[in-house]
Amino acid sequence: MKYFAVFFFILFSTIGFSQETDPAIPHRVSGYVINDNTKEPLSSVNVINTNKVRGATTDNKGYFEIDVQPNDTLHFSIIGFQSLRVRVTNDWIKNKVTRIQLTEKAIALEEVIIAPFNLTGYLEVDSKLIPTKENYRYSISGLTQGYEAGEYAPNAFGKVLGSIFNPADMLYNFFGKNAKELKKLKEMRKDDTVRNLLETKYDRETVAVLLGITKEEIPEIMQRCNYSDSFIQTANDLQIMDAISGCYEQYKILKRN
């Protein structure tokens, strides 16, 4: 009877441990984000699970909660602080709560040069002096979204077909090798926290993290997708992500055909 009781205890302990660390079972972890210098809590810190494309934001006490699985990566970002990536461990899942410290950036102010348009102050005159962008979008039958064309994107249709069907092209290589990361684009639409964050950002950092690429690759991808330089430079991160998503869907359609 004594040995049976010990065996029974070990069996249930093993089952409980396996359930706790089973990567297929979602868990909810929490934590506090603080300034590593002042030890004060940081509110409005954006927390994104880059594996599941789910987001959360810290409250005025620096507290957050988010759904995870073992080995997921959480990305912490806020203006004025260095972004941080943290791997979710079994210990964190077991203890439920942890403390994350972010370091302030040393920001050097750069010289800003303002290019004058020689405005006169008269609306009728100045409206003719300010340059305008004559870009527009057109659609291709059978595709869900069109392409940007006009002065800043000439020969768009020929470029996109050449990009997609040329095996040596960067667009072909990117979409072909990053299919797993690109599946996150659909998941992104399910989480308002992530979309709201991307809508307020213009630094391309979060987009790069979610897609597993560098920020330098994003303009090249957008150019292959025939977006103008003006769009690439002025669009927010949500618009960039939606543009890449639309280009990827078109790529899949044209590859099937």
Side-chain angles (χ1 to χ4, degrees):
M1 184 68 181
K2 176 182 177 181
Y3 293 107
F4 178 77
V6 173
F7 173 77
F8 193 74
F9 174 77
I10 294 175
L11 177 63
F12 271 86
S13 298
T14 304
I15 293 174
F17 179 79
S18 65
Q19 289 179 340
E20 185 178 25
T21 58
D22 187 345
I25 300 176
H27 303 270
R28 175 161 285 254
V29 297
S30 60
Y32 291 89
V33 183
I34 64 173
N35 184 323
D36 73 339
N37 182 33
T38 65
K39 308 306 179 185
E40 294 292 325
L42 293 175
S43 61
S44 302
V45 176
N46 299 297
V47 186
I48 294 182
N49 184 331
T50 60
N51 298 81
K52 306 297 182 296
V53 196
R54 294 292 183 271
T57 306
T58 60
D59 61 18
N60 56 4
K61 296 181 180 180
Y63 180 78
F64 70 93
E65 292 183 352
I66 192 168
D67 291 332
V68 300
Q69 290 178 345
N71 297 319
D72 281 354
T73 298
L74 302 186
H75 182 261
F76 296 81
S77 64
I78 186 174
I79 295 176
F81 288 80
Q82 296 179 11
S83 299
L84 182 67
R85 298 187 201 183
V86 178
R87 180 67 59 86
V88 177
T89 63
N90 286 323
D91 287 340
W92 187 358
I93 293 175
K94 180 179 179 180
N95 297 325
K96 298 297 184 183
V97 64
T98 192
R99 187 172 68 168
I100 306 295
Q101 301 185 67
L102 297 185
T103 303
E104 288 188 78
K105 289 181 178 179
I107 303 176
L109 298 178
E110 299 179 356
E111 180 182 5
V112 178
I113 300 176
I114 301 177
F117 290 125
N118 298 321
L119 302 180
T120 64
Y122 294 95
L123 181 60
E124 292 183 0
V125 177
D126 293 343
S127 62
K128 299 178 181 179
L129 295 175
I130 299 175
T132 59
K133 300 181 179 63
E134 297 181 352
N135 290 359
Y136 57 91
R137 307 279 295 177
Y138 66 88
S139 60
I140 302 174
S141 179
L143 302 184
T144 57
Q145 186 176 350
Y147 290 91
E148 199 167 24
E151 179 184 355
Y152 293 90
N155 304 318
F157 181 71
K159 284 184 179 180
V160 72
L161 292 181
S163 296
I164 290 176
F165 289 112
N166 180 2
D169 188 83
M170 176 194 170
L171 187 62
Y172 175 92
N173 292 332
F174 171 73
F175 286 154
K177 295 178 180 179
N178 294 272
K180 182 178 179 181
E181 285 76 12
L182 288 163
K183 290 180 180 178
K184 297 178 183 178
L185 295 170
K186 292 184 178 180
E187 293 297 319
M188 180 197 68
R189 297 187 178 94
K190 301 177 183 178
D191 194 292
D192 290 337
T193 303
V194 175
R195 291 187 65 85
N196 292 338
L197 165 62
L198 292 174
E199 194 171 14
T200 62
K201 299 193 71 175
Y202 292 82
D203 59 10
R204 313 302 188 236
E205 178 186 351
T206 306
V207 175
V209 169
L210 289 174
L211 295 181
I213 59 177
T214 65
K215 292 195 291 185
E216 291 71 23
E217 288 179 288
I218 293 175
E220 297 181 48
I221 295 168
M222 297 301 297
Q223 289 171 357
R224 295 301 193 281
C225 292
N226 296 287
Y227 282 89
S228 66
D229 289 340
S230 60
F231 176 84
I232 297 170
Q233 294 170 5
T234 60
N236 61 40
D237 285 3
L238 178 59
Q239 292 171 319
I240 293 293
M241 188 72 93
D242 283 340
I244 294 176
S245 177
C247 187
Y248 178 54
E249 293 302 320
Q250 295 165 5
Y251 163 84
K252 291 193 298 183
I253 292 173
L254 290 177
K255 286 299 293 180
R256 285 199 301 266
N257 296 335

